[in-house]
Amino acid sequence: MEGKVIGPGPYRATKLWNETIKLFRGGMPLRRHWANFRYYDCSFTGSEAVDYLHDLLRCNYNFGPEVTRYQTLQLLRKFLKAHVIEDIKGRHGTEDFEDNGHLYRFPTQSPLKSFPTRPLLRDSSDLPRLIRWDDYEELPQQENIAPMKSAVLTSDLWNKRHSVAIGDVHECKLIRRKEITTKQVGHIWKSMTVAHLQRVLGLKSLDGVLNPTHVNGKHIVHNVFSVNKAGIVILDNKAEDMPYWVVSAMKCLANWPNSTETKQPVYPGFERDVLRTVADYFQRLKEPLLTFHLYEVFVNILSLLQEQQVATEALQVSCLLLPPPNRRQLQLLLRLMARASQNPHLPPLNDALTTRTLMVQMFSHCVLGSVDEMDLDELLATKLVTFMMEHHSTIFQVPSKLRSQVEEHLSHLKRVQIKYAGSDTDFSASPAFCKQISRVVSEEQQVIGTQTPLQELLEGLIADKELPAKDKRKRLKQFQKLYPDVYHNRFPTEESKAAVIPEKAPRLKPHFMFFSLKKPFQPFQRSWSFRA
């Protein structure tokens, strides 16, 4: 019976609705029933329909075991109004479905919904462009010298350190980006968070799922950094927070019976009145805590719940998009629901339902809902809220991968960079080369292009005609020791090396005369005659 449905929000909801109808129509047992001295073939009673559909929904992964019999009855009433079923006399719409022996049947026409028209694809201009090195400024001369011991070297020091190996470096200047504003930081968080969300959801596009114009970068930054030790959002404007009496009531239930939030006498049923106080506040909210704009995002996450780690990360990213007051209220509410459900000392809050089931039914529609009520809203909200309640301690953590990516990008924009005179090469993808790094780091950074300046310096050294050949060979040898990868890439073979590096002049080997010691040395004698 399981069927994992994927796709953008409105299409997924429609597909899920149609799939549920197909499963119900295809599996519902039909037989002959008698009523008023007549028999009706291919029919079923209201109670039989509730029994079968309830089991179907509980066993289906899209809904799960949290579905109650009452929720199943409500869905069958929607089926009757939508003419998915009709009573035995063909009536539907105005009739109310009852969980009794009244007879129903399936109509002959198709009850499936047609899929909504897909929206036109938006261009990428909706997403803020990431700030790059396109806009930079030259550092004033006095800033070229580090005031304290620092890993960042000035241009002169850098030249001096490397001149031993590669000779004098071409004239260069240090540049950096202009100061990054708070607004730009928000844009960077917004752009990278939305892109990360799209990857986690596994969608080619967020069209029909999320409109980037509804995402506020300031909210994301606030949700990441303005938190207390427990990870709960701290609001700058206290007027946006819940009333004190609501927070007090929530703490009372969450810490029962050790709460010190209330000084009122505890009487039988006191805990139920406290819960009703909390429920009244949340049920009167103008929109669900997950907001109408993010409804499609969270509906899509329902298809990922089977993969807990992926679903958790998707919720972590999505909850960063919430306005801070909504995120704070949702955090406190889910924590209350989890603690109350696991508290053995808390008296029963309902005579018919367990505390866990009661919490989910009471608050699910306060968490997730659409502007135009969808037929499966209640069931989808139940499924999502149950998962969020069980994993509330992790879904409000900032994804470590996203955070490191944003911090690395911001750090990169603030680094100093070298620009060579007469060169238009953009080294924006690499860190500053005035910063001393180890050989291991240098090799790792080769992947992102940090070897480019070294390659240029090597070419400059090779092309330097004023440098004596002896000194050139010596410095090339030292360069090979310091940067073997760059050197090997330039000279993969001896032939390639010989083509550009002058060879040493051949040295004549000295010749020696050896004499035998067995015989005494007799000098060569010759007679000379002189004429007067």
Side-chain angles (χ1 to χ4, degrees):
M1 293 184 181
E2 291 189 6
K4 184 177 179 181
V5 184
I6 60 175
Y11 315 107
R12 182 182 182 276
T14 302
K15 189 173 183 180
L16 185 56
W17 169 266
N18 290 342
E19 181 179 297
T20 304
I21 293 174
K22 289 179 180 179
L23 291 174
F24 179 52
R25 285 173 61 96
M28 179 67 205
L30 304 178
R31 60 186 182 88
R32 176 179 293 183
H33 289 84
W34 287 83
N36 300 323
F37 304 103
R38 292 185 56 184
Y39 66 85
Y40 299 90
D41 291 326
C42 300
S43 60
F44 53 88
T45 66
S47 298
E48 290 172 347
V50 175
D51 292 339
Y52 177 79
L53 185 57
H54 187 210
D55 291 339
L56 175 69
L57 296 175
R58 286 170 56 87
C59 295
N60 188 289
Y61 177 77
N62 292 293
F63 306 104
E66 298 297 330
V67 178
T68 64
R69 188 177 181 86
Y70 177 75
Q71 289 175 324
T72 305
L73 176 61
Q74 292 295 97
L75 180 57
L76 282 167
R77 287 173 176 170
K78 293 180 180 180
F79 280 177
L80 183 61
K81 294 184 182 299
H83 204 190
V84 175
I85 58 177
E86 61 186 15
D87 74 357
I88 205 63
K89 296 182 180 181
R91 293 174 296 186
H92 64 89
T94 57
E95 301 294 319
D96 201 5
F97 185 91
E98 298 294 340
D99 186 1
N100 55 23
H102 193 77
L103 295 181
Y104 299 89
R105 66 188 181 191
F106 291 118
T108 56
Q109 67 270 24
S110 173
L112 303 182
K113 290 184 178 181
S114 58
F115 287 91
T117 305
R118 288 184 178 275
L120 294 176
L121 293 177
R122 299 185 303 269
D123 55 31
S124 58
S125 61
D126 290 340
L127 287 176
R129 181 181 67 85
L130 283 179
I131 303 173
R132 299 175 300 194
W133 277 93
D134 300 336
D135 182 23
Y136 62 82
E137 59 181 352
E138 295 186 21
L139 291 177
Q141 185 64 30
Q142 60 269 21
E143 291 189 23
N144 289 351
I145 302 177
M148 301 289 290
K149 282 188 176 182
S150 173
V152 179
L153 305 178
T154 65
S155 179
D156 293 338
L157 290 176
W158 192 84
N159 288 341
K160 183 178 180 180
R161 170 165 291 187
H162 289 74
S163 62
V164 176
I166 56 179
D168 295 333
V169 182
H170 298 292
E171 182 182 357
C172 65
K173 57 186 176 182
L174 299 181
I175 60 174
R176 71 176 178 188
R177 271 205 49 81
K178 295 179 179 179
E179 291 297 328
I180 303 176
T181 65
T182 303
K183 184 177 181 180
Q184 290 172 329
V185 172
H187 282 176
I188 291 174
W189 271 100
K190 171 181 175 177
S191 180
M192 299 188 75
T193 301
V194 172
H196 191 78
L197 175 63
Q198 181 176 330
R199 288 193 297 270
V200 175
L201 292 179
L203 300 176
K204 294 182 179 179
S205 170
L206 291 179
D207 293 313
V209 178
L210 175 65
N211 186 346
T213 58
H214 295 151
V215 179
N216 191 321
K218 290 183 179 179
H219 291 169
I220 300 175
V221 174
H222 189 104
N223 292 334
V224 171
F225 297 103
S226 299
V227 296
N228 59 20
K229 294 181 179 180
I232 298 176
V233 172
I234 301 173
L235 300 179
D236 296 331
N237 185 2
K238 297 301 181 182
E240 296 178 338
D241 200 358
M242 293 180 290
Y244 173 77
W245 52 270
V246 177
V247 178
S248 249
M250 296 177 71
K251 289 182 178 179
C252 176
L253 280 181
N255 301 316
W256 187 278
N258 302 318
S259 175
T260 58
E261 291 298 321
T262 178
K263 299 180 181 179
Q264 298 180 359
V266 177
Y267 52 85
F270 174 77
E271 65 283 346
R272 298 191 180 189
D273 289 342
V274 174
L275 176 62
R276 193 173 299 111
T277 299
V278 176
D280 287 343
Y281 171 79
F282 283 99
Q283 290 172 355
R284 292 177 182 176
L285 294 176
K286 295 181 179 180
E287 68 173 335
L289 294 176
L290 296 181
T291 74
F292 293 137
H293 293 314
L294 298 178
Y295 173 80
E296 311 295 353
V297 174
F298 288 98
V299 167
N300 267 266
I301 296 177
L302 285 168
S303 64
L304 304 174
L305 296 186
Q306 191 173 8
E307 304 175 43
Q308 179 178 328
Q309 185 175 356
V310 178
T312 300
E313 185 177 3
L315 286 170
Q316 288 176 339
V317 181
S318 302
C319 288
L320 286 176
L321 309 181
L322 294 173
N326 291 50
R327 182 179 171 95
R328 174 178 170 81
Q329 293 181 43
L330 182 61
Q331 284 180 284
L332 295 176
L333 177 60
L334 291 177
R335 189 173 68 165
L336 164 65
M337 295 170 63
R339 289 187 177 183
S341 302
Q342 300 169 0
N343 188 355
H345 304 291
L346 184 65
L349 299 175
N350 187 279
D351 296 332
L353 302 173
T354 63
T355 300
R356 185 173 185 271
T357 302
L358 176 66
M359 288 289 177
V360 173
Q361 286 192 17
M362 184 173 287
F363 295 107
S364 59
H365 66 282
C366 305
V367 176
L368 179 69
S370 56
V371 179
D372 302 320
E373 185 179 352
M374 306 290 288
D375 294 317
L376 297 177
D377 267 0
E378 186 175 354
L379 296 179
L380 297 179
T382 298
K383 179 70 174 179
L384 181 65
V385 172
T386 300
F387 184 90
M388 295 181 72
M389 180 181 67
E390 294 172 348
H391 303 88
H392 73 97
S393 59
T394 57
I395 62 176
F396 290 104
Q397 298 175 3
V398 181
S400 57
K401 185 176 181 180
L402 172 62
R403 188 166 194 162
S404 62
Q405 288 176 344
V406 176
E407 290 177 350
E408 181 179 354
H409 186 77
L410 290 172
S411 177
H412 164 62
L413 294 179
K414 298 175 183 178
R415 291 190 183 112
V416 177
Q417 186 186 41
I418 290 181
K419 189 169 183 67
Y420 294 90
S423 172
D424 294 329
T425 305
D426 180 19
F427 302 141
S428 60
S430 59
F433 294 99
C434 283
K435 186 174 182 180
Q436 184 180 4
I437 57 178
S438 66
R439 184 182 300 178
V440 175
V441 176
S442 176
E443 293 174 355
E444 292 176 352
Q445 292 179 346
Q446 182 179 4
V447 179
I448 59 174
T450 58
Q451 303 297 328
T452 304
L454 295 177
Q455 293 169 356
E456 292 186 355
L457 293 174
L458 178 57
E459 293 296 335
L461 180 59
I462 295 172
D464 192 349
K465 296 181 179 180
E466 298 181 0
L467 186 66
K470 181 180 178 180
D471 293 338
K472 180 179 293 189
R473 286 192 298 269
K474 181 179 178 181
R475 290 176 178 175
L476 285 172
K477 187 175 181 180
Q478 292 175 334
F479 186 97
Q480 182 181 10
K481 285 184 179 180
L482 292 175
Y483 311 108
D485 292 337
V486 179
Y487 188 88
H488 178 71
N489 290 337
R490 180 62 178 84
F491 304 116
T493 62
E494 289 296 328
E495 291 76 8
S496 61
K497 177 180 176 183
V500 296
I501 300 178
E503 297 182 357
K504 296 181 180 179
R507 293 180 57 184
L508 297 177
K509 295 183 178 180
H511 296 280
F512 300 94
M513 296 180 65
F514 297 92
F515 305 94
S516 175
L517 299 179
K518 293 182 179 181
K519 296 182 180 180
F521 175 74
Q522 296 180 357
F524 177 78
Q525 297 180 358
R526 183 175 182 178
S527 301
W528 297 91
S529 60
F530 299 91
R531 293 183 180 180

